[in-house]
Amino acid sequence: MKTPILLELSEITKTFPGVKANNDISFSIKPGEIHALLGENGAGKSTLVKIIYGIMQPDHGQMFFGEKLYKPSEPFEARANGIGMVFQHFSLFEALTVAENIELGINKEAASKDLNRQISEISETYGLPVDPIQRIGSLSVGECQRVEVVRCLLQKPRLLIMDEPTSVLTPQESHLLFQTLTKLSQDGCSILYISHKLEEIRMLCERATVLRDGKVVAQCSPREESARSLAKMMIGSNLKTPQPSKPAFGEKRLSVNGLSINSTNPLGTSLCNLVFEVRAGEILGIAGVAGNGQTELFEVLSGERTVDKNMVQLDHRLVGHEGPTKRRELGMCCIPEERVGHAVVPDMSLWENCILSARTRQKLERNGFLNIPASHNFAEKIVENFNVKTPSVKRDVRSLSGGNLQKFIVGREMLQNPRILVIMQPTWGVDAAAAADIHFALNELAETGTAILTISQDLDELIAISNSFAVISEGRLSEPRPTINVTIEEIGLLMGKTSHFEKNEQNDPP
Amino acid sequence: MDLLILILQGIIVAATPLVFAAIGELVVERAGVLNLGVEGMMILGAVSGFAITLESGSILIGIVSAALAGGAAALLFGILTQLLLSNQVATGLALTIFGLGLSALLGQGYSGATVMALEKIHITVLSDIPILGAIIFSYDPLIYLSFGLTGCVAWFLAKTRAGLILRAVGENHDAAHALGYGVVKIRLAALVFGGACAGIGGAYLSIVQTPFWVEDMTSGRGWIALAIVVFSTWHPGRALLGAYLFGGVTVVQLHVQGLGVDIQAQVLSMLPYIVTIIVLVMISRDTLRAKLNAPACLNKSFFASS
């Protein structure tokens, strides 16, 4: 007897101008199995699941769902067939309530009158507490994801697609999610699990399909592989592992003394009495779930938002009241989370973008005139040292892919010989090879005596590169301590420590 | 007493074009599109409503064609901004200028002509109630339509699935697209509805309020309607209120002028605009409130890249 197949993909090909995003992809998913789709950014995972969910149509190839030819032209059809999807960047509407969001994500026929009852039924069965009348804007990221999952489960799916679900969760939240997924698969629902986190795939998934450059390069059983061998399949070569630098720190470079401010964004988080310092050669990592005050902290450090001058100190100078230009002059370089539009201007060339940030420290401007040859040289130096793939520094920054763009931005700030570097989400959305390069470069920079502050949501990353460690939660910072002594579980507890009650109250409209 | 009734009636008549235009634009903005061409769509509605009424002799046909004219202008805006991804602010301004120019051209032969104004509905018994009858039950059908429209739009946005989808598109077009809703189609539909409303509002000026055609007769009411939408923080009921506030100040200042109070007429004519600005400033002082209510994707172009 042949094993039943729920979804079969056969020779799926999708071409975009200049790229073959999916090239001849074939694999199948069995009923009730948790199947991993593994690959780096740009390997074609997202395109493939969009094809399965009916957002895009393949150029060639066929799909069979439950042995029948399946050719969705719209997500409605996918949902009607019993395919649900939880998106990586949530498809939620902040100003609407949980119930309204759920109604939008299910087909008309399923949106019956007792929706609220159905929601509470599902949340009880699968341990996913949600409150239908709350606004999404007031929920934490983990809660948002629960809403997405509930929304899918309401349609009693036979296949659930999860696109990088844990990239925004605390370890505890991830753990809860895994329990839900395991229960679902026991109930007979198949799950297509997309991720590049190898450990969780080894823990959760029975089979894996590995994509590289739009092609299937391997099919394996992740439980029989090591994280290292999986990574090798994924990127096709061995990874450099960063070595945390020796904890021999120099003098105090950056100190923040009792920083308290109110957020300017109604849905933001206010900071409350932050105290920390970073010494020369030290890498301080600040962890936390998004929206706990990281954006506000970054604005204050970069000088985009000025505060009382005593609150921020560079070397021996009080600079809380100084703007970004002055701080850069004094040796503080900052790399924000938002790359396009915050770190770089997408419609300007690489060399022009160099001037925007490095004009004082690299003397790319004199008496109001641009030093164009020097800017070209500086840009070329970045491209060379940081292995940025681009045909010319005259190209628009827009043309760089995510990983290349981040390498360019990181390079631009690092090559200015900063005394202090503040970097937010250093490897967000960057593929594993580029991430390893960036980690390596950060370590090297710290060894030359620069003080580095990293704000990230990726715990593995922070543990791998930082010497000291603190957690930001609800706008408060835990006491920094040496990374060597902390465990992932401890950090997770710190991250989820405070309840969301306080925050909700602030966010409710008057 | 009679004067009071007269003023109240005047306010309602003065406010009605604004109600139509503001409610239409409110729906458009809730879908995430900023159409600054309200003034242009109103004046096109005014000229075509007037001309067609005069030619056909039927006010109903006139009003329908005003709605069609406004809708067509909005569709043009929609094609440019939604399909060809032109800038919404620039295109909206161009639409206003275009509408003013085109209406002057079309209306050349009609200056000085008049049509029979729309008659008031007389409801037996109700309209004969003293005072109340005069204040509530003595208007033309379009005024009742404007009330009905406000109610329907409020109900549509708050209670129906289609209304929820429309708000969702204005809130986060990428997410709406990912869930399979046709962002561009929904926005085009909202735009055409908004344009038709603006057209009717314009026709109310030229057919009912002052039953003749004059160039530039909307005199900035489209802009006031836009301001009212912000004033209302995108709630239909408050938009109605805003229109009446502006209409009220307009009529009261006319009566004050009529009473011969010793203030220069120009100063009094400025009043409605000044009041609007003051109210807007007071509202936007509460940025938190404005930010929470404003559709998050307002004035952002949508392009389905994936």
Side-chain angles (χ1 to χ4, degrees), chain B residues 2-303:
Chain B
D2 281 350
L3 180 68
L4 197 64
I5 292 172
L6 205 65
I7 290 179
L8 276 174
Q9 288 179 337
I11 289 174
I12 290 176
V13 169
T16 299
L18 294 171
V19 175
F20 277 110
I23 293 290
E25 177 67 11
L26 187 140
V27 171
V28 174
E29 292 194 11
R30 272 293 182 96
V33 185
L34 182 66
N35 184 354
L36 292 182
V38 182
E39 178 86 2
M41 301 187 297
M42 276 182 95
I43 194 88
L44 282 173
V47 73
S48 49
F50 183 82
I52 304 280
T53 304
L54 195 68
E55 301 293 345
S56 70
S58 157
I59 289 181
L60 183 66
I61 297 178
I63 287 168
V64 169
S65 34
L68 288 177
L75 190 63
L76 179 69
F77 174 88
I79 289 168
L80 289 171
T81 58
Q82 303 304 306
L83 299 179
L84 303 175
L85 304 180
S86 70
N87 178 295
Q88 292 179 13
V89 170
T91 312
L93 292 174
L95 181 60
T96 290
I97 298 165
F98 169 73
L100 289 171
L102 183 65
S103 65
L105 182 72
L106 294 174
Q108 259 179 352
Y110 295 101
S111 304
T114 51
V115 292
M116 276 294 287
L118 194 58
E119 272 182 44
K120 291 173 180 170
I121 301 182
H122 190 90
I123 309 162
T124 37
V125 189
L126 286 181
S127 301
D128 299 328
I129 304 171
I131 306 174
L132 213 60
I135 299 174
I136 305 178
F137 301 108
S138 63
Y139 299 107
D140 55 81
L142 277 178
I143 286 183
Y144 298 111
L145 181 67
S146 75
F147 280 102
L149 184 75
T150 310
C152 285
V153 165
W155 170 80
F156 170 81
L157 288 174
K159 299 283 181 205
T160 66
R161 183 175 163 90
L164 176 62
I165 293 171
L166 182 121
R167 282 187 287 144
V169 166
E171 205 51 55
N172 183 345
H173 50 216
D174 293 316
H177 173 71
L179 291 174
Y181 297 108
V183 174
V184 171
K185 272 186 232 158
I186 290 165
R187 288 192 169 161
L188 284 177
L191 274 165
V192 170
F193 173 80
C197 287
I200 295 175
Y204 191 84
L205 285 172
S206 65
I207 302 177
V208 185
Q209 211 169 311
T210 52
F212 50 81
W213 160 254
V214 197
E215 235 176 77
D216 290 348
M217 69 185 300
T218 46
S219 60
R221 282 184 182 78
W223 299 109
I224 299 290
L226 278 160
I228 288 170
V229 176
V230 181
F231 162 85
S232 72
T233 54
W234 295 271
H235 290 293
R238 290 185 209 152
L240 188 77
L241 199 74
Y244 281 86
L245 176 74
F246 179 82
V249 181
T250 311
V251 170
V252 169
Q253 62 92 7
L254 275 177
H255 282 275
V256 171
Q257 280 187 38
L259 289 174
V261 177
D262 191 22
I263 306 175
Q264 278 188 331
Q266 288 86 341
V267 174
L268 286 171
S269 309
M270 272 193 269
L271 262 183
Y273 303 93
I274 293 175
V275 169
T276 311
I277 291 172
I278 292 173
V279 170
L280 272 177
V281 169
M282 276 161 55
I283 290 203
S284 46
R285 260 179 49 202
D286 196 350
T287 47
L288 181 99
R289 197 191 186 94
K291 270 192 195 171
L292 278 175
N293 281 309
C297 279
L298 189 59
N299 196 21
K300 286 188 187 153
S301 287
F302 172 73
F303 176 62

Side-chain angles (χ1 to χ4, degrees), chain A residues 16 50 53 55-56 74-76 79 87 90-96 99-101 103-108 111 135 151 264-267 506-510, chain B residues 157-162 164-182 185 286-289 291-296 305-306:
Chain A
F16 292 119
K50 279 177 183 160
Y53 196 56
I55 299 172
M56 281 185 212
E74 277 187 299
F76 293 106
R79 292 198 287 261
F87 294 87
F90 300 135
S91 54
L92 293 177
F93 305 91
E94 289 214 337
L96 306 183
E100 284 175 328
N101 268 282
E103 193 184 335
L104 280 166
I106 60 184
N107 284 1
K108 208 172 177 177
R135 280 199 196 204
R151 174 156 88 181
T264 44
N265 179 344
L267 297 174
Q506 281 169 14
N507 288 342
D508 276 343
Chain B
L157 288 174
K159 299 283 181 205
T160 66
R161 183 175 163 90
L164 176 62
I165 293 171
L166 182 121
R167 282 187 287 144
V169 166
E171 205 51 55
N172 183 345
H173 50 216
D174 293 316
H177 173 71
L179 291 174
Y181 297 108
K185 272 186 232 158
D286 196 350
T287 47
L288 181 99
R289 197 191 186 94
K291 270 192 195 171
L292 278 175
N293 281 309
S305 59
S306 50

